[in-house]
Amino acid sequence: MSDDIRRRMFHEMEQKFVFDEARNAAYSYADRALERNVFPTDAALAGLSNFDEDMPQTPGNALQILQKLHRYGSPATVAQTGGRYFGLVNGGVLPVTLAVRWLTDFWDQNTPLYLSSPLASRLEVITEAWLRDLFYLPDSCVAGYVSGSSMSILCGLAAARQRNFERLDWDINRRGFSGAPRLRVVASRQAHGTVSKAIALLGFGTDNVEWVDADEQGRIRTDLVPKLDASTILVLQAGNVNSGAFDDFNTLCPKATRVGAWVHIDGAFGLWAAGSRQLAHLTRGIEHADSWSFDGHKTLNTPYDSGVIICRHREALVKALHAAGAYIVYSEQRDGMLHTPEMSRRSRVVELWAALKYLGKSGIDELVYGLHERALQFAGELEQQGFEILNDVVFNQVLVACADDAQTTATIAAIQRSGICWVGGTQWQQRSVIRISVCSWVTTAEDISQSVRAFVDARELVLKSARQPAS
Ligand SMILES: *Cc1c(COP(=O)(O)O)cnc(C)c1O
């Protein structure tokens, strides 16, 4: 690298003007987050063409790069840090976690090993204990900090595969599936798409899963769950991604573990119900499971990306995810990479730790229950306006339908165009429906009412255009 670039970079680090520029841009972005169109306007999207250019031949200018990003990038973001994004279960971001993220960005820690970041190692252990406490999980449980539930589900099922094969005297890591004894996988037809993906990645094959029908709320039908045995992996769900429904853990978990089956619970956003006194009944029985996956970046409102795998059997998880190399020096302390598929990782545990430290148990209770209250309000006000609510609003999800599928689909498009709020669509019991996730601490009662008015206006637009004679 030429002295010229290095000198400029030392200057940038010393003078901090690049970071001041970033901070000013971030503040002006944040100050407008509540008013911005939730989905970018057409003009903002058109502005993205400013990024269409050839790879530069020579170094650029840091300030200009930031200015370009703020000028054309910021307007083209989805305003999910405002209060009216109800699309994916995205969650907002707690201010303290965002500030902590900035600090950790300057640390630039890599966290595979104690020796690469003693600080992250310590916070991983402390956060693990806090999570066990919060979710009432047994002391033997360990946590791995990954990018999201897609990854943590994969980890849970990999540990299950390891343990169940080991019982059959089969080392899956060395021998693979060829000639292997059969393991069974039992899951709900309403399992999340990332569960199917993990099953496929782990070589089980989705065709080999014993899929179980769900009831009208999206809960696995306990009466249809086949006889389980010690070779089975049973995948359950805390929080159906459409309806928010919770499987009946109290019935299924003890039944499964009595015969030695492994139970994994996908609780991406729903496991946090355990942190609310009034909602904890939804998660009754989860403590009997073997592994649990959930996100920080959804219900808890940490920044992206933050997922957690908790596993009751440390040995199974470590055997499934272990990597070796002459230069990889494990220590007596906690080495995070033993619990994750990744080796190099940012110190994402710090934001999770900060969120738990900031909110405490009562703050988590208020956050989680608050999302539920806003969801109930949303459902109640929509029903008053003649929309049909299709699910029991047990958590943060609301499923809504208009008079027929065509009207529902057109209404979704009109709501999205309004810029006032953003919701997506899904299929529910062979119907097209509007899917609402209330998942940000920012969302107020007024945001809900304003969004309900946007629903009503959108439906009115759709009806009006239907009444207009074809030209
Ligand atoms: C979001 C979600 C996932 C996937 O989680 P990511 O964090 O997006 O990888 C899995 N299961 C459920 C129920 C979810 O809501």
Side-chain angles (χ1 to χ4, degrees):
M1 171 166 290
S2 74
D3 276 354
D4 181 40
I5 309 179
R6 289 190 63 223
R7 255 199 311 276
R8 275 166 56 190
M9 292 201 293
F10 275 122
H11 184 62
E12 284 156 11
M13 280 317 280
E14 238 167 61
Q15 298 297 317
K16 313 286 186 298
F17 54 90
V18 196
F19 305 106
D20 289 339
E21 183 74 20
R23 192 180 58 184
N24 292 339
Y27 290 174
S28 87
Y29 180 83
D31 286 343
R32 265 176 280 153
L34 298 179
E35 297 114 54
R36 295 205 15 245
N37 255 37
V38 178
F39 196 79
T41 60
D42 289 342
L45 294 174
L48 289 174
S49 63
N50 286 285
F51 292 107
D52 298 341
E53 53 189 344
D54 290 337
M55 166 85 196
Q57 296 295 338
T58 53
N61 174 293
L63 267 187
Q64 285 171 6
I65 289 171
L66 270 164
Q67 285 158 354
K68 176 161 192 163
L69 261 183
H70 186 47
R71 176 146 179 218
Y72 300 113
S74 292
T77 55
V78 173
Q80 64 162 52
T81 55
R84 293 186 306 278
Y85 180 87
F86 308 107
L88 303 176
V89 198
N90 268 3
V93 55
L94 305 172
V96 66
T97 61
L98 194 49
V100 159
R101 173 77 187 254
W102 280 11
L103 177 60
T104 61
D105 280 347
F106 274 76
W107 294 343
D108 193 30
Q109 296 289 279
N110 187 16
T111 69
L113 301 168
Y114 170 80
L115 287 174
S116 65
S117 182
L119 163 77
S121 167
R122 179 63 65 87
L123 288 184
E124 288 199 354
V125 174
I126 290 162
T127 302
E128 174 182 282
W130 289 3
L131 290 170
R132 277 196 303 256
D133 181 21
L134 186 68
F135 295 137
Y136 305 100
L137 301 181
D139 288 344
S140 69
C141 288
V142 295
Y145 304 92
V146 293
S147 58
S149 283
S150 303
M151 249 324 147
S152 51
I153 291 167
L154 183 77
C155 294
L157 299 187
R161 187 180 74 154
Q162 174 73 35
R163 202 277 314 256
N164 282 10
F165 266 129
E166 193 168 296
R167 281 192 182 153
L168 298 167
D169 210 16
W170 187 264
D171 183 343
I172 181 69
N173 288 342
R174 278 196 309 113
R175 306 178 72 175
F177 269 96
S178 137
R182 204 170 113 69
L183 287 193
R184 297 170 59 205
V185 180
V186 176
S188 163
R189 284 192 199 283
Q190 283 285 326
H192 195 266
T194 54
V195 169
S196 301
K197 187 198 284 195
I199 286 167
L201 283 170
L202 288 167
F204 288 114
T206 50
D207 280 357
N208 300 319
V209 173
E210 296 168 53
W211 295 108
V212 182
D213 284 338
D215 68 12
E216 78 295 343
Q217 293 296 325
R219 296 170 294 218
I220 194 170
R221 287 264 307 265
T222 54
D223 56 322
L224 296 181
V225 171
K227 201 168 148 53
L228 306 171
D229 59 37
S231 75
T232 311
I233 300 168
L234 173 64
V235 189
L236 299 178
Q237 177 165 259
N240 179 292
V241 78
N242 289 317
S243 68
F246 290 66
D247 288 344
D248 180 356
F249 310 111
N250 217 22
T251 302
L252 290 172
C253 292
K255 203 169 167 178
T257 48
R258 238 189 333 267
V259 297
W262 181 295
V263 180
H264 177 83
I265 298 178
D266 167 13
F269 63 93
L271 207 69
W272 294 98
S276 159
R277 269 164 310 162
Q278 282 136 298
L279 298 176
H281 62 94
L282 296 167
T283 55
R284 203 175 299 135
I286 58 166
E287 67 279 6
H288 300 294
D290 296 281
S291 53
W292 304 260
S293 49
F294 55 96
D295 286 320
H297 56 223
K298 292 180 178 172
T299 312
L300 189 63
N301 284 217
T302 69
Y304 288 97
D305 42 16
S306 176
V308 183
I309 173 66
I310 295 191
C311 183
R312 178 193 292 271
H313 315 280
R314 177 175 188 274
E315 198 182 300
L317 187 69
V318 171
K319 277 189 178 163
L321 302 174
H322 185 272
Y327 74 103
I328 301 175
V329 181
Y330 292 113
S331 69
E332 294 296 299
Q333 310 278 344
R334 178 210 192 74
D335 294 310
M337 68 176 277
L338 291 173
H339 299 175
T340 61
E342 303 96 328
M343 182 169 172
S344 297
R345 277 180 312 150
R346 68 186 190 86
S347 57
R348 58 168 68 90
V349 70
V350 186
E351 296 129 38
L352 192 58
W353 169 84
L356 301 177
K357 170 93 177 142
Y358 180 80
L359 292 171
K361 288 183 179 174
S362 72
I364 290 172
D365 189 345
E366 284 180 42
L367 170 68
V368 174
Y369 195 70
L371 302 177
H372 175 58
E373 285 183 312
R374 300 281 85 81
L376 286 175
Q377 180 198 344
F378 219 141
E381 292 187 12
L382 284 172
E383 205 157 33
Q384 272 172 17
Q385 295 295 339
F387 289 90
E388 185 184 355
I389 305 300
L390 295 165
N391 65 320
D392 294 342
V393 180
V394 296
F395 198 53
N396 68 324
Q397 299 289 117
V398 188
L399 296 176
V400 190
C402 301
D404 57 53
D405 279 8
Q407 199 186 103
T408 300
T409 308
T411 300
I412 293 172
I415 293 168
Q416 291 176 349
R417 270 197 308 276
S418 76
I420 292 168
C421 68
W422 203 94
V423 293
T426 188
Q427 287 291 311
W428 188 251
Q429 285 154 6
Q430 283 90 49
R431 293 175 71 177
S432 298
V433 304
I434 306 171
R435 175 180 171 281
I436 296 170
S437 283
V438 183
C439 46
S440 173
W441 69 271
V442 177
T443 302
T444 61
E446 175 49 29
D447 282 319
I448 301 292
S449 298
Q450 200 183 338
S451 301
V452 169
R453 287 194 293 277
F455 272 59
V456 172
D457 292 347
R459 184 180 55 187
E460 188 53 38
L461 270 178
V462 169
L463 289 173
K464 212 186 280 168
S465 69
R467 278 196 300 267
Q468 258 158 24
S471 51

